[in-house]
Each structure stands twice: as structure tokens, then as C-alpha cells.
Amino acid sequence: MASRYDLICNVNGGSEHKIWRIKVRVIRLWRSSYFKDNNNKPMIELVVLDEQGGRIQCTVKSIHVYLFENSINEGNVYMLENLSVALNSGKYKPTMHEFRMFFKRETRVTLVEDSSIPLYGFSFVPFVEILNETKGDRRLVDVLGVVTGKGNLIEFKKEGKPCNYVVIELENIEGGLKLRCTLWEDYAFMFLKHLEDHPSESYVVVLQFAKMKNFKGSVGVSNTTYNSKLFINANIPEIEDFQMRLKSSDSQQGIQFSQLSDHASLTLEEEFLERGVYKSIADLKEVTRNSVFVTIGTVKDIESEYNWCYRACKKCSLGLKLDGSMFYCKKCVTHYSTFVTRYSIQLRVVDETDSASFILFDKEASNFLKIPAYELRTSCIAKGGDKNRHPEEIDSFKDKKFLFKVQVKIQDMESIVPYVISISRLCFEDNIIASFEKKYQIEEVALIQDNSELLSQFTESSDLLKNNLSVSCDNGVDTPSPLLPTGKTASNMDSSVIKVLDVDLAEYCGNASFDTPSKSKGEMHSEQTIVRVAVHGDEQSAKKLRKVIKEEKN
């Protein structure tokens, strides 16, 4: 005769049962370090499931952890006997059961074999129920959907501690409802790594034990610190069934994996003064993985060798390739007869540490210029000018200081320029810029105006690197000059960055000759011996330059 045991749905706080006995599978196990103290181990928390789908939370208190920590593992089925019962009053409840159970010293744990109890015990909540939530429900929910959008990895500091998250958008099949889902810390990295390691046409996600969160009027879900479980295109029946329904659904062709805006709900103050992680331009160029940061700098030039706009897909905004008389989008795998004109402006930005090329795209460019790209392009054509030539309106960026939220994307660590820096948000409000400078104690860039065009002559593209240095005399004469002796050109040096330094020709150059059209060497020495030199490379390269010139003197 089979031994008697209780169903979870019958567990209560009454007196009719003094000894509870339940047969359950542990579907989630975690350590609650929030309750950790100096004398005891963290408590063990369990969510268990029985054969009828009932779920209840069980807790092993710190004083009893040593009795059970080696006896219970997630995924196994156990007979649990002699547990106490209390009200389920936690802040976030992984089950909706009125009660929860606690292990006692006398509790017995017996491992059993039983395949009748499901492995995961999902209890999916419809999107419409979550989106209509107004009571600030503290229960944890299970959600299932296909990913239709993804934001960038956001890094910021809270109380001095680094934090990371990524926002994704989930869509159900029936009804086409979309749900915002925020993945924090390890869950964010797990998701991004899966996308990188396992390219797929679609990603179906299950987030189990997610908490509902009302963020500025919009209800979404996010993982908790300890409880949640994340499944991405996993070989489990629930995801496989969803994928089959997705393939047969009429909505499949309409699902587009889009890039979500990172700042849809953040003010400029929140973005740059509270959430953003600051890095100088020099530090941005040392980044070794795809990251998002905030920085400050002055636009010194528009890199005119690059087009200021591009032909964009109407659906996904990706650049289109001309294919005969049509335009092809490799992301949508579709040919179009028309396109949308969008901004893509390359700015040369400088701060007190270095300079770099930033790419500014359509939304932020339009916001600053107050004119859409297609209107500006039409205006240029109407004036009879070259449609690809930089219009004068774009020059309004020059010599202005901005706060930038940038994404650093690593492309090839072996190349001269292994990264691309693109701007995702732009701030040009003076009060916020002043607050940012005060917070990070940022000094003004120590470059004279006469040399602003000096920096603009260089970009980090290897095909644009020059084999000479550009020299600017303080007396206003700007001339290209082969400062280095024969056989020692700028191309021999590290050309990954640009530095500006002053060189005293009288001190370092002695009898070295200079190709200066407006003044002879003697006239230059008698009137002005200080020149400003733009050097490819880091500070070490600048030292090398001084050494080379000094060697020439000797």
C-alpha cells in the first residue's frame, strides 16, 4: 500500500494536522544572503511543486542549514515530513499560496523517484493581466514570449556599486501584446552571450519568478536577485510548443527584432548625472568589450570625407544597398523601390585627454539641427549644390561642447582602430553640462583656437594616416613640414591616437632644417621658436618624437 502524503493545496495553519508530509519536486533553490550575519550561513529558500501543480515556498533557517544543505538539490523529488506552517507574508512571493513551510530540526528528507511531477511547473501569466496591473502586486510571475526588441547594455553606479542591465521587449502570439522585460546583472550577460553565441531567426524566452514593476506609468517585468530563472530557446516543451505556434502564426512575418531606445523613460539629468558611467575619451579608447558610457567633449570638426546621410530601410533603419533599380535590406531580406534619408554624421570630438571620431545618427542629429535629414537633403538639391556635400547647417555642431552617451562597439582588436563609437544621446543644455563638469571636476581643453583645424585633419581610419606631421606656429603660420629626419616618419610611430604638444625648435633642433615657405630658419629662430605639433600616438610617442629631434641636433 502506498504511503500517505498531503497535497500542497491542502496545507493550512489549522490544528488538524500536526505533521505534514508532502511529495514534491524542488523547482527552484537559492541562498538568501540578505539575511546573512556573522555567525550563521544564509538561509536556503525553496519553491516546491507537487503532482497536481501546487506550489509552495519552503525555508531552511540559518540555524538549520548545516542539517540540510547537502541533502537537497534543485530538480530532485523528495518526501518532506514534519515541517511547520506559517503565513506567506514575504515582500515578493514566488507562490500565491496563503502559507509557507519551514524546516525544523526534526524534519525528514527522503529522495524518491517520481516522473509524474513536472520538471519546471510553469504558471504563465497573460501579458494583458500584467499590463493592466494597478495594485502593485508583489507576486512573482512566469512569462513566455518572443523577443522583438533589445536595448544596449546599460552600466551605471548606485551608491558607488557598479550595476548593469539590458531591456528587451517580449511579444505574445495571441493579441500581439508587447511587454517590457528588464534583465539585471548576470541575467543580462547571460542573454547577451546567448545572442552572440547562438545566432537565430527568433529568440523565445521564459522568465520564471519575475517581479512586476511599474516604471513611470508602464508595467513590465524584471528578474529578481535570487529567485528568477531564464530560459532562451531551451529544449523544453513550453518553448518548443511556442516556436511551433509562432511558425504557423500569421504574425510571424510581422515580427521584427528592433533596437530599443535606451533613454525612452530617462530625463537628461537621470541619464548623465545619475545613471551614466563617465569615461574620458582616452579611457573610451581603452575599452575591450561592447559598452555604454557617458562623456563630455567639444566638436572640433565635421569629418567631410564621410557622407552626412544615408539611404535607410523604412522598417528597420538599416542602410540599404543599391541593387539595380531597387534598394536591398539585408536585415529584412527585402527589396524596396524607395528609401528614407537619415543622418549619419561623423564628428571629431576632443576633450582634455584625447580626441576621437563619434558617429551621430538620425534622432539626436534631427533634435539638435531642428530639421529632418530628408528636408535638408531636398534643400541642398533645390539650391543646385552637390546632394552629398556637407550642408552649412551641419557646421553648427562645430566648437560646441556636448554631453554624449556613447556606445563603444569592438570590431577587430587586431586593427589600428578596433572600435566604433556611436552617439545614442546628446545633451547641449548648459546647466546640465555645468553640473556634469562640477561632478567629475573636468577642466577646459587646453588647446588654442588656431589649432582647432589641426585636430580635424586626422581621423583614426588607417587609410587617412599621413606620413608627415602638421606644424602650426604661434605666429599664425600653418604649414605642413617634414619635422622628422629622413627615414623617421610619423608612420613609424603608434598611430592609434593624436596628441598635441609644444616643441621649442631652438632647444631641440639646433641646425636642423625646416621647409618653411614664409620664413627662413634663421628668421624663425629669431622671431618664434615654439611650434605646436600634432602627433599620432600616445604620450610615449610624443617622447619618442622629442628624442628623435634631439638626436638630429646631436
Side-chain angles (χ1 to χ4, degrees):
M1 179 177 176
S3 58
R4 186 191 66 82
Y5 53 86
D6 302 290
L7 295 174
I8 288 177
C9 63
N10 294 327
V11 172
N12 61 75
S15 59
E16 68 275 11
H17 261 95
K18 292 187 177 180
I19 298 178
W20 291 98
R21 192 166 188 261
I22 57 175
K23 185 174 69 171
V24 293
R25 185 185 299 277
V26 179
I27 60 172
R28 194 65 175 122
L29 183 152
W30 69 96
R31 299 288 185 116
S32 184
S33 61
Y34 177 82
F35 298 98
K36 183 178 180 180
D37 57 42
N38 295 328
N39 301 316
N40 295 300
K41 294 182 177 182
M43 295 194 300
I44 299 176
E45 300 286 355
L46 315 169
V47 177
V48 299
L49 175 79
D50 69 11
E51 60 196 47
Q52 291 194 356
R55 302 197 302 191
I56 195 167
Q57 183 176 355
C58 300
T59 302
V60 181
K61 295 181 179 179
S62 296
I63 58 174
H64 297 142
V65 165
Y66 75 97
L67 293 172
F68 301 104
E69 61 182 342
N70 296 321
S71 304
I72 307 172
N73 293 297
E74 186 172 304
N76 289 341
V77 178
Y78 299 95
M79 191 73 74
L80 304 180
E81 187 174 358
N82 199 4
L83 296 91
S84 62
V85 177
L87 288 173
N88 185 15
S89 57
K91 183 178 180 180
Y92 289 106
K93 302 176 181 180
T95 80
M96 289 307 295
H97 202 290
E98 182 182 357
F99 299 96
R100 60 189 296 179
M101 307 186 83
F102 287 86
F103 282 60
K104 303 187 294 185
R105 187 177 298 274
E106 300 80 18
T107 298
R108 293 177 59 188
V109 179
T110 305
L111 179 66
V112 298
E113 295 289 336
D114 192 332
S115 60
S116 66
I117 302 177
L119 287 174
Y120 305 107
F122 297 120
S123 180
F124 296 117
V125 177
F127 283 11
V128 64
E129 185 176 331
I130 296 173
L131 294 170
N132 291 334
E133 178 58 47
T134 58
K135 299 178 181 179
D137 202 325
R138 294 293 188 175
R139 62 174 168 156
L140 301 182
V141 298
D142 301 344
V143 295
L144 166 67
V146 61
V147 179
T148 56
K150 178 190 75 68
N152 294 317
L153 178 68
I154 304 300
E155 302 176 76
F156 67 98
K157 289 186 177 180
K158 184 177 181 180
E159 299 177 355
K161 181 181 178 181
C163 301
N164 306 272
Y165 73 89
V166 64
V167 175
I168 64 174
E169 181 183 73
L170 301 179
E171 183 175 329
N172 61 6
I173 296 178
E174 298 81 8
L177 294 177
K178 295 185 177 182
L179 183 69
R180 174 190 172 102
C181 176
T182 305
L183 300 176
W184 291 88
E185 307 305 339
D186 291 345
Y187 296 83
F189 295 122
M190 183 191 311
F191 176 79
L192 295 174
K193 181 170 176 54
H194 185 95
L195 265 59
E196 181 179 348
D197 295 344
H198 305 282
S200 176
E201 293 182 359
S202 63
Y203 298 92
V204 177
V205 166
V206 169
L207 184 61
Q208 190 177 28
F209 303 121
K211 63 180 178 182
M212 291 183 281
K213 189 74 173 178
N214 191 318
F215 183 73
K216 295 190 175 182
S218 177
V219 179
V221 297
S222 69
N223 63 278
T224 64
T225 304
Y226 306 109
N227 318 59
S228 303
K229 291 184 72 173
L230 180 64
F231 302 82
I232 309 167
N233 283 358
N235 296 323
I236 59 177
E238 291 80 1
I239 286 182
E240 291 173 347
D241 176 68
F242 188 97
Q243 290 171 329
M244 290 296 295
R245 290 187 290 130
L246 185 64
K247 289 180 180 179
S248 61
S249 171
D250 293 336
S251 65
Q252 184 190 13
Q253 296 298 325
I255 294 177
Q256 298 288 335
F257 194 99
S258 61
Q259 181 71 26
L260 300 180
S261 171
D262 298 324
H263 55 267
S265 302
L266 295 180
T267 64
L268 288 170
E269 290 85 350
E270 290 172 328
E271 190 82 87
F272 290 100
L273 301 179
E274 299 175 17
R275 294 291 191 93
V277 176
Y278 166 67
K279 282 190 181 295
S280 67
I281 292 179
D283 290 335
L284 289 177
K285 295 164 85 168
E286 298 299 323
V287 170
T288 57
R289 64 182 178 88
N290 294 350
S291 307
V292 176
F293 299 102
V294 295
T295 193
I296 185 172
T298 301
V299 176
K300 282 300 177 183
D301 201 7
I302 312 299
E303 298 185 339
S304 57
E305 60 268 32
Y306 300 100
N307 289 332
W308 61 273
C309 63
Y310 70 101
R311 295 185 291 249
C313 174
K314 295 182 290 184
K315 288 187 176 181
C316 70
S317 298
L318 194 70
L320 297 175
K321 182 179 179 180
L322 185 63
D323 186 10
S325 61
M326 302 289 284
F327 302 98
Y328 178 72
C329 177
K330 65 178 182 180
K331 183 176 181 179
C332 300
V333 196
T334 305
H335 282 84
Y336 298 100
S337 58
T338 60
F339 60 85
V340 177
T341 302
R342 294 186 181 275
Y343 286 111
S344 176
I345 306 171
Q346 292 225 172
L347 309 175
R348 191 71 193 177
V349 183
V350 61
D351 69 1
E352 75 280 5
T353 67
D354 212 329
S355 63
S357 295
F358 290 7
I359 304 176
L360 180 66
F361 288 108
D362 192 70
K363 184 175 181 180
E364 295 302 312
S366 298
N367 185 38
F368 177 78
L369 295 172
K370 306 300 182 185
I371 181 172
Y374 73 89
E375 286 189 13
L376 188 55
R377 182 173 179 270
T378 301
S379 174
C380 291
I381 296 174
K383 293 177 183 178
D386 184 349
K387 62 182 179 182
N388 292 320
R389 185 176 180 180
H390 282 63
E392 61 183 16
E393 287 86 347
I394 292 180
D395 287 337
S396 59
F397 283 103
K398 293 175 66 173
D399 297 317
K400 284 191 66 69
K401 183 182 290 184
F402 297 92
L403 295 178
F404 303 92
K405 181 178 180 181
V406 297
Q407 180 182 12
V408 183
K409 186 175 181 180
I410 304 300
Q411 293 189 317
D412 181 5
M413 292 301 295
E414 301 300 321
S415 66
I416 295 177
V417 184
Y419 50 80
V420 171
I421 303 176
S422 58
I423 301 166
S424 60
R425 199 170 192 185
L426 196 65
C427 174
F428 43 88
E429 294 187 14
D430 292 339
N431 60 325
I432 299 178
I433 292 175
S435 297
F436 188 92
E437 290 179 318
K438 182 178 180 181
K439 178 177 180 180
Y440 295 105
Q441 299 180 340
I442 296 170
E443 298 178 357
E444 290 289 333
V445 180
L447 293 176
I448 61 173
Q449 181 63 32
D450 287 348
N451 284 302
S452 62
E453 62 271 13
L454 187 67
L455 290 172
S456 69
Q457 294 177 14
F458 300 91
T459 71
E460 291 139 329
S461 302
S462 58
D463 59 330
L464 295 174
L465 295 176
K466 309 298 182 183
N467 287 331
N468 65 294
L469 298 176
S470 179
V471 182
S472 173
C473 297
D474 282 350
N475 60 13
V477 179
D478 293 340
T479 62
S481 175
L483 258 183
L484 297 179
T486 303
K488 291 180 172 142
T489 67
S491 62
N492 301 137
M493 297 185 178
D494 179 0
S495 56
S496 59
V497 298
I498 296 172
K499 289 290 179 184
V500 176
L501 67 150
D502 293 329
V503 178
D504 187 335
L505 299 182
E507 177 184 355
Y508 288 106
C509 301
N511 296 322
S513 61
F514 293 87
D515 182 13
T516 309
S518 59
K519 292 182 183 288
S520 67
K521 180 186 68 174
E523 290 173 330
M524 175 178 280
H525 281 203
S526 63
E527 295 185 14
Q528 180 65 56
T529 63
I530 304 296
V531 297
R532 181 150 290 184
V533 184
V535 184
H536 293 275
D538 53 18
E539 191 61 39
Q540 188 65 30
S541 298
K543 292 179 181 178
K544 289 180 182 179
L545 172 64
R546 292 182 183 274
K547 183 178 178 181
V548 167
I549 296 175
K550 197 167 185 179
E551 288 175 351
E552 178 67 14
K553 169 189 173 183
N554 297 330

